[in-house]
Coordinates of all heavy atoms in Angstrom, one line a residue:
M217 N 9.1 -4.3 -20.7 CA 8.7 -3.5 -21.7 C 7.3 -2.7 -21.4 O 6.6 -3.2 -20.6 CB 8.5 -4.2 -23.0 CG 9.6 -4.9 -23.5 SD 10.9 -3.7 -24.3 CE 10.0 -3.3 -25.8
P218 N 7.2 -1.4 -21.7 CA 8.1 -0.6 -22.5 C 9.2 0.0 -21.7 O 10.1 0.6 -22.4 CB 7.1 0.4 -23.0 CG 6.1 0.6 -22.0 CD 5.9 -0.7 -21.3
S219 N 9.2 0.1 -20.5 CA 10.1 0.8 -19.6 C 10.7 0.1 -18.5 O 9.9 -0.7 -17.8 CB 9.6 2.3 -19.1 OG 10.5 2.8 -18.3
P220 N 12.0 -0.2 -18.4 CA 13.0 0.7 -19.1 C 13.5 -0.1 -20.4 O 14.4 0.3 -21.0 CB 14.2 0.3 -18.1 CG 14.0 -1.0 -17.4 CD 12.4 -1.0 -17.3
G221 N 12.8 -1.1 -20.8 CA 13.0 -1.8 -22.0 C 13.9 -3.1 -21.8 O 14.3 -3.5 -20.7
Y222 N 14.1 -3.9 -22.8 CA 14.9 -5.1 -22.6 C 16.5 -4.8 -22.6 O 16.9 -3.8 -23.2 CB 14.8 -6.0 -23.9 CG 13.5 -6.7 -24.0 CD1 13.0 -7.1 -25.2 CD2 12.7 -7.1 -22.9 CE1 11.8 -7.8 -25.3 CE2 11.5 -7.8 -22.9 CZ 11.1 -8.0 -24.1 OH 9.9 -8.7 -24.4
A223 N 17.3 -5.7 -21.9 CA 18.6 -5.7 -21.9 C 19.1 -7.0 -22.5 O 18.6 -8.1 -22.1 CB 19.3 -5.4 -20.5
Y224 N 20.0 -6.9 -23.3 CA 20.3 -8.1 -24.2 C 21.7 -8.9 -23.8 O 22.5 -8.2 -23.2 CB 20.3 -7.9 -25.6 CG 18.9 -7.3 -26.2 CD1 18.8 -5.9 -26.3 CD2 18.0 -8.2 -26.5 CE1 17.6 -5.5 -26.7 CE2 16.8 -7.7 -27.0 CZ 16.5 -6.4 -27.0 OH 15.3 -5.9 -27.5
T225 N 21.9 -10.0 -24.1 CA 23.1 -10.7 -23.8 C 23.5 -11.3 -25.3 O 22.8 -11.6 -26.1 CB 22.7 -11.9 -23.0 OG1 22.2 -11.6 -21.8 CG2 24.1 -12.7 -22.7
G226 N 24.8 -11.2 -25.4 CA 25.5 -11.8 -26.6 C 25.3 -10.8 -27.8 O 24.5 -9.8 -27.7
S227 N 26.2 -10.9 -28.7 CA 26.2 -10.0 -29.9 C 25.0 -10.1 -30.7 O 24.4 -11.3 -30.8 CB 27.4 -10.3 -30.7 OG 27.4 -11.6 -31.3
A228 N 24.6 -9.1 -31.4 CA 23.4 -9.0 -32.2 C 23.7 -9.6 -33.6 O 24.7 -9.3 -34.1 CB 22.8 -7.6 -32.3
F229 N 22.7 -10.3 -34.2 CA 22.9 -11.0 -35.5 C 22.5 -9.9 -36.4 O 21.5 -9.1 -36.1 CB 22.1 -12.2 -35.7 CG 22.7 -13.4 -35.0 CD1 21.8 -14.4 -34.4 CD2 24.0 -13.7 -34.8 CE1 22.4 -15.5 -33.8 CE2 24.6 -14.7 -34.2 CZ 23.6 -15.6 -33.6
T230 N 22.8 -9.8 -37.6 CA 22.6 -8.7 -38.5 C 21.9 -9.2 -39.8 O 21.6 -8.4 -40.8 CB 23.8 -7.8 -38.9 OG1 24.9 -8.6 -39.4 CG2 24.3 -7.2 -37.6
W231 N 21.7 -10.5 -40.1 CA 21.1 -11.0 -41.3 C 19.6 -10.7 -41.1 O 19.2 -10.6 -40.2 CB 21.6 -12.4 -41.6 CG 21.1 -13.5 -40.8 CD1 19.9 -14.2 -40.7 CD2 21.8 -14.1 -39.7 NE1 20.0 -15.1 -39.7 CE2 21.2 -15.1 -39.1 CE3 23.2 -13.9 -39.2 CZ2 21.5 -16.0 -38.0 CZ3 23.6 -14.7 -38.1 CH2 22.8 -15.6 -37.6
D232 N 18.9 -10.9 -42.4 CA 17.5 -10.5 -42.3 C 16.7 -11.6 -41.6 O 17.0 -12.8 -41.7 CB 17.1 -10.5 -43.8 CG 17.4 -9.1 -44.5 OD1 17.6 -8.3 -43.9 OD2 17.2 -9.2 -45.6
T233 N 15.8 -11.1 -40.7 CA 14.8 -12.1 -40.3 C 13.6 -12.1 -41.2 O 13.6 -11.3 -42.2 CB 14.3 -11.6 -38.9 OG1 13.6 -10.3 -39.1 CG2 15.4 -11.2 -37.9
I234 N 12.7 -12.9 -40.9 CA 11.5 -13.0 -41.9 C 10.6 -11.8 -41.7 O 10.1 -11.2 -42.8 CB 10.6 -14.3 -41.6 CG1 11.5 -15.5 -42.0 CG2 9.3 -14.2 -42.3 CD1 10.8 -16.8 -41.6
P235 N 10.5 -11.2 -40.5 CA 9.7 -9.9 -40.4 C 10.5 -8.8 -41.1 O 9.8 -8.0 -41.8 CB 9.8 -9.6 -38.9 CG 9.7 -10.9 -38.3 CD 10.7 -11.7 -39.1
D236 N 11.9 -8.7 -41.2 CA 12.6 -7.8 -42.1 C 12.1 -7.9 -43.4 O 11.9 -6.9 -44.2 CB 14.1 -8.0 -41.9 CG 14.6 -7.9 -40.5 OD1 14.0 -7.1 -39.7 OD2 15.7 -8.3 -40.1
V237 N 12.1 -9.1 -44.0 CA 11.8 -9.3 -45.3 C 10.3 -8.9 -45.6 O 10.0 -8.2 -46.7 CB 12.1 -10.8 -45.8 CG1 11.5 -11.0 -47.2 CG2 13.4 -11.1 -45.6
L238 N 9.4 -9.3 -44.7 CA 8.0 -8.9 -45.0 C 7.9 -7.4 -45.0 O 7.2 -6.8 -45.8 CB 7.2 -9.6 -43.9 CG 7.1 -11.0 -43.7 CD1 6.4 -11.6 -42.5 CD2 6.5 -11.6 -45.1
E239 N 8.5 -6.8 -44.0 CA 8.4 -5.2 -43.9 C 8.9 -4.6 -45.2 O 8.3 -3.7 -45.7 CB 9.1 -4.8 -42.8 CG 9.0 -3.3 -42.4 CD 7.6 -2.9 -42.0 OE1 6.8 -3.9 -41.5 OE2 7.1 -1.8 -42.2
R240 N 10.1 -5.1 -45.8 CA 10.7 -4.4 -47.0 C 9.8 -4.7 -48.1 O 9.8 -3.9 -49.1 CB 12.1 -5.1 -47.2 CG 12.9 -4.3 -48.2 CD 14.4 -4.8 -48.1 NE 14.6 -6.2 -48.2 CZ 15.1 -6.9 -47.1 NH1 15.4 -6.3 -46.0 NH2 15.3 -8.2 -47.3
N241 N 9.0 -5.8 -48.0 CA 8.1 -6.0 -49.2 C 6.6 -5.6 -49.0 O 5.7 -5.9 -49.7 CB 8.2 -7.5 -49.5 CG 9.4 -7.9 -50.3 OD1 9.6 -7.8 -51.4 ND2 10.4 -8.3 -49.5
N242 N 6.4 -4.8 -47.9 CA 5.1 -4.1 -47.6 C 4.1 -5.2 -47.5 O 2.9 -5.1 -47.9 CB 4.7 -3.3 -48.8 CG 5.6 -2.0 -49.0 OD1 6.0 -1.5 -48.0 ND2 6.0 -1.7 -50.2
I243 N 4.5 -6.3 -46.8 CA 3.6 -7.5 -46.4 C 3.2 -7.3 -44.9 O 4.2 -7.3 -44.1 CB 4.2 -8.7 -46.7 CG1 4.4 -8.9 -48.2 CG2 3.2 -9.9 -46.4 CD1 5.3 -10.1 -48.7
S244 N 2.0 -7.1 -44.6 CA 1.6 -6.8 -43.2 C 2.0 -8.1 -42.3 O 1.9 -9.2 -42.7 CB 0.2 -6.6 -43.1 OG -0.6 -7.6 -43.5
W245 N 2.4 -7.7 -41.0 CA 2.8 -8.9 -40.1 C 2.6 -8.2 -38.6 O 2.5 -7.0 -38.5 CB 4.1 -9.3 -40.3 CG 5.2 -8.3 -40.1 CD1 5.6 -7.3 -41.0 CD2 5.9 -8.0 -38.8 NE1 6.6 -6.4 -40.5 CE2 6.8 -6.9 -39.1 CE3 5.9 -8.5 -37.6 CZ2 7.7 -6.4 -38.2 CZ3 6.8 -8.0 -36.6 CH2 7.7 -6.9 -36.9
K246 N 2.4 -9.2 -37.8 CA 2.4 -8.7 -36.3 C 2.6 -9.9 -35.4 O 2.4 -11.0 -35.7 CB 1.0 -8.3 -36.0 CG 0.9 -7.6 -34.6 CD -0.6 -7.2 -34.2 CE -1.0 -6.0 -35.0 NZ -2.3 -5.4 -34.5
I247 N 3.2 -9.7 -34.2 CA 3.5 -10.7 -33.3 C 2.6 -10.4 -32.0 O 2.6 -9.3 -31.5 CB 5.0 -10.7 -32.8 CG1 5.9 -11.0 -33.9 CG2 5.2 -11.6 -31.8 CD1 7.4 -10.9 -33.6
Y248 N 1.7 -11.4 -31.8 CA 0.8 -11.3 -30.6 C 1.5 -12.0 -29.4 O 1.7 -13.1 -29.4 CB -0.5 -11.9 -30.9 CG -1.3 -11.2 -32.0 CD1 -1.1 -11.4 -33.4 CD2 -2.3 -10.3 -31.7 CE1 -1.8 -10.8 -34.4 CE2 -3.0 -9.7 -32.7 CZ -2.7 -9.9 -34.0 OH -3.4 -9.2 -35.0
Q249 N 1.6 -11.2 -28.4 CA 2.4 -11.6 -27.2 C 2.2 -10.7 -26.2 O 1.9 -9.6 -26.2 CB 3.9 -11.7 -27.6 CG 4.6 -10.3 -27.9 CD 6.0 -10.2 -27.9 OE1 6.7 -10.9 -27.2 NE2 6.6 -9.4 -28.6
D250 N 2.6 -11.1 -24.9 CA 2.8 -10.3 -23.8 C 4.4 -10.3 -23.5 O 5.0 -11.2 -23.2 CB 2.3 -10.9 -22.5 CG 2.5 -10.1 -21.3 OD1 3.3 -9.0 -21.3 OD2 1.8 -10.5 -20.3
P251 N 5.0 -9.2 -23.9 CA 6.4 -9.0 -24.0 C 7.1 -9.3 -22.6 O 8.3 -9.4 -22.4 CB 6.7 -7.6 -24.6 CG 5.5 -6.9 -24.3 CD 4.2 -7.8 -24.4
N252 N 6.2 -9.1 -21.5 CA 6.8 -9.4 -20.2 C 6.4 -10.6 -19.7 O 6.6 -11.0 -18.4 CB 6.2 -8.2 -19.3 CG 6.8 -6.8 -19.8 OD1 7.9 -6.7 -20.1 ND2 5.8 -5.9 -19.7
N253 N 5.8 -11.4 -20.4 CA 5.5 -12.9 -20.0 C 5.7 -13.9 -21.2 O 4.9 -14.6 -21.5 CB 4.1 -13.0 -19.5 CG 3.9 -14.3 -18.7 OD1 4.7 -14.8 -18.3 ND2 2.5 -14.6 -18.6
N254 N 6.9 -13.7 -21.8 CA 7.2 -14.6 -22.9 C 8.5 -15.4 -22.6 O 9.3 -15.7 -23.5 CB 7.3 -13.9 -24.2 CG 8.5 -12.7 -24.1 OD1 9.0 -12.6 -23.1 ND2 8.7 -12.0 -25.2
W255 N 8.6 -15.9 -21.3 CA 9.7 -16.7 -20.8 C 11.1 -15.9 -21.1 O 12.0 -16.5 -21.7 CB 9.8 -18.0 -21.6 CG 10.1 -19.1 -20.5 CD1 11.1 -19.0 -19.5 CD2 9.5 -20.4 -20.4 NE1 11.1 -20.2 -18.8 CE2 10.1 -21.0 -19.3 CE3 8.5 -21.1 -21.1 CZ2 9.7 -22.3 -18.9 CZ3 8.1 -22.3 -20.8 CH2 8.7 -22.9 -19.6
W256 N 11.1 -14.8 -20.6 CA 12.3 -13.9 -20.6 C 12.8 -13.7 -22.1 O 14.0 -13.6 -22.3 CB 13.4 -14.4 -19.8 CG 12.9 -14.7 -18.4 CD1 12.7 -13.8 -17.5 CD2 12.8 -15.9 -17.7 NE1 12.4 -14.4 -16.3 CE2 12.4 -15.7 -16.5 CE3 12.9 -17.3 -18.3 CZ2 12.0 -16.7 -15.6 CZ3 12.5 -18.3 -17.4 CH2 12.1 -18.0 -16.1
G257 N 11.8 -13.6 -23.0 CA 12.2 -13.3 -24.4 C 12.4 -14.6 -25.2 O 12.5 -14.4 -26.4
L258 N 12.6 -15.7 -24.6 CA 13.0 -16.9 -25.3 C 12.0 -17.4 -26.3 O 12.4 -18.1 -27.2 CB 13.2 -18.1 -24.3 CG 14.5 -17.9 -23.3 CD1 14.5 -19.0 -22.3 CD2 15.8 -18.0 -24.3
M259 N 10.8 -17.0 -26.2 CA 9.7 -17.4 -27.3 C 10.0 -16.5 -28.5 O 9.3 -16.9 -29.6 CB 8.3 -17.1 -26.7 CG 7.9 -17.8 -25.5 SD 7.9 -19.6 -25.6 CE 9.5 -20.1 -25.1
H260 N 10.7 -15.5 -28.5 CA 10.8 -14.5 -29.6 C 12.1 -14.5 -30.2 O 13.1 -14.0 -29.8 CB 10.6 -13.1 -29.0 CG 10.4 -12.1 -30.0 ND1 10.8 -12.1 -31.3 CD2 9.7 -10.9 -30.0 CE1 10.5 -11.0 -32.0 NE2 9.8 -10.3 -31.2
G261 N 12.2 -15.4 -31.4 CA 13.5 -15.6 -32.0 C 14.0 -14.2 -32.6 O 15.3 -14.1 -32.9
G262 N 13.3 -13.2 -32.7 CA 13.7 -12.0 -33.4 C 14.6 -11.3 -32.5 O 15.4 -10.4 -33.0
L263 N 14.6 -11.5 -31.3 CA 15.3 -10.6 -30.3 C 16.9 -10.9 -30.3 O 17.6 -10.2 -29.8 CB 14.9 -11.0 -28.8 CG 13.4 -10.7 -28.5 CD1 13.1 -11.1 -27.1 CD2 13.0 -9.3 -28.9
A264 N 17.3 -11.9 -31.1 CA 18.7 -12.1 -31.4 C 19.2 -11.0 -32.3 O 20.4 -11.0 -32.6 CB 19.0 -13.6 -31.8
F265 N 18.4 -10.3 -33.1 CA 18.7 -9.6 -34.2 C 18.8 -8.0 -33.9 O 17.8 -7.6 -33.3 CB 17.8 -9.8 -35.4 CG 18.0 -11.3 -35.9 CD1 17.3 -12.3 -35.2 CD2 18.9 -11.6 -36.8 CE1 17.4 -13.6 -35.7 CE2 19.0 -12.8 -37.4 CZ 18.3 -13.9 -36.7
D266 N 19.7 -7.3 -34.6 CA 19.8 -6.0 -34.4 C 18.5 -5.2 -34.9 O 18.1 -4.2 -34.3 CB 21.0 -5.4 -35.2 CG 21.2 -4.0 -35.1 OD1 21.5 -3.6 -34.0 OD2 20.9 -3.3 -36.0
S267 N 17.8 -5.7 -35.9 CA 16.7 -5.1 -36.3 C 15.5 -4.9 -35.4 O 14.8 -4.0 -35.3 CB 16.0 -5.8 -37.6 OG 15.8 -7.0 -37.3
F268 N 15.4 -5.9 -34.4 CA 14.6 -5.9 -33.3 C 15.2 -5.0 -32.0 O 14.6 -4.2 -31.4 CB 14.1 -7.3 -32.8 CG 13.0 -7.7 -33.8 CD1 13.3 -8.5 -34.8 CD2 11.6 -7.5 -33.5 CE1 12.3 -9.1 -35.6 CE2 10.7 -8.0 -34.3 CZ 11.0 -8.8 -35.4
R269 N 16.4 -5.4 -31.8 CA 17.1 -4.8 -30.7 C 17.2 -3.3 -30.8 O 17.1 -2.5 -29.7 CB 18.5 -5.3 -30.4 CG 18.5 -6.9 -30.0 CD 20.0 -7.3 -29.7 NE 20.0 -8.7 -29.3 CZ 21.1 -9.1 -28.8 NH1 22.2 -8.6 -28.6 NH2 21.1 -10.5 -28.3
S270 N 17.4 -2.8 -31.9 CA 17.5 -1.4 -32.1 C 16.1 -0.6 -32.5 O 16.2 0.6 -32.6 CB 18.5 -1.0 -33.3 OG 18.1 -1.6 -34.5
A271 N 15.1 -1.3 -32.4 CA 13.9 -0.8 -32.8 C 13.4 0.3 -31.8 O 13.5 0.0 -30.5 CB 12.7 -1.8 -33.0
L272 N 12.9 1.4 -32.1 CA 12.4 2.4 -31.3 C 10.9 2.7 -31.4 O 10.3 2.2 -32.3 CB 13.0 3.8 -31.7 CG 14.5 3.8 -31.6 CD1 15.1 5.2 -32.0 CD2 15.0 3.5 -30.1
P273 N 10.2 3.0 -30.2 CA 8.8 3.2 -30.3 C 8.3 4.1 -31.5 O 9.1 5.0 -31.8 CB 8.5 4.0 -29.0 CG 9.7 3.6 -28.0 CD 10.8 3.3 -28.9
G274 N 7.4 3.5 -32.1 CA 7.0 4.2 -33.4 C 7.3 3.5 -34.7 O 6.9 3.8 -35.8
S275 N 8.5 2.6 -34.6 CA 8.9 2.0 -35.7 C 8.1 0.7 -35.9 O 7.5 0.1 -35.0 CB 10.5 1.6 -35.5 OG 10.4 0.6 -34.5
A276 N 8.1 0.1 -37.0 CA 7.4 -1.1 -37.3 C 7.8 -2.3 -36.5 O 6.9 -2.9 -35.9 CB 7.4 -1.5 -38.8

Side-chain angles (χ1 to χ4, degrees):
M217 296 292 285
S219 178
Y222 287 153
Y224 300 96
T225 305
S227 58
F229 293 144
T230 56
W231 65 85
D232 279 344
T233 66
I234 294 175
D236 296 336
V237 175
L238 296 174
E239 187 66 25
R240 190 163 56 245
N241 286 275
N242 297 314
I243 298 166
S244 60
W245 63 276
K246 187 184 288 188
I247 299 174
Y248 292 84
Q249 62 163 334
D250 180 346
N252 298 318
N253 193 16
N254 60 2
W255 221 318
W256 307 290
L258 288 174
M259 300 297 95
H260 191 334
L263 298 183
F265 292 85
D266 181 68
S267 58
F268 280 91
R269 291 185 177 190
S270 63
L272 299 175
S275 69

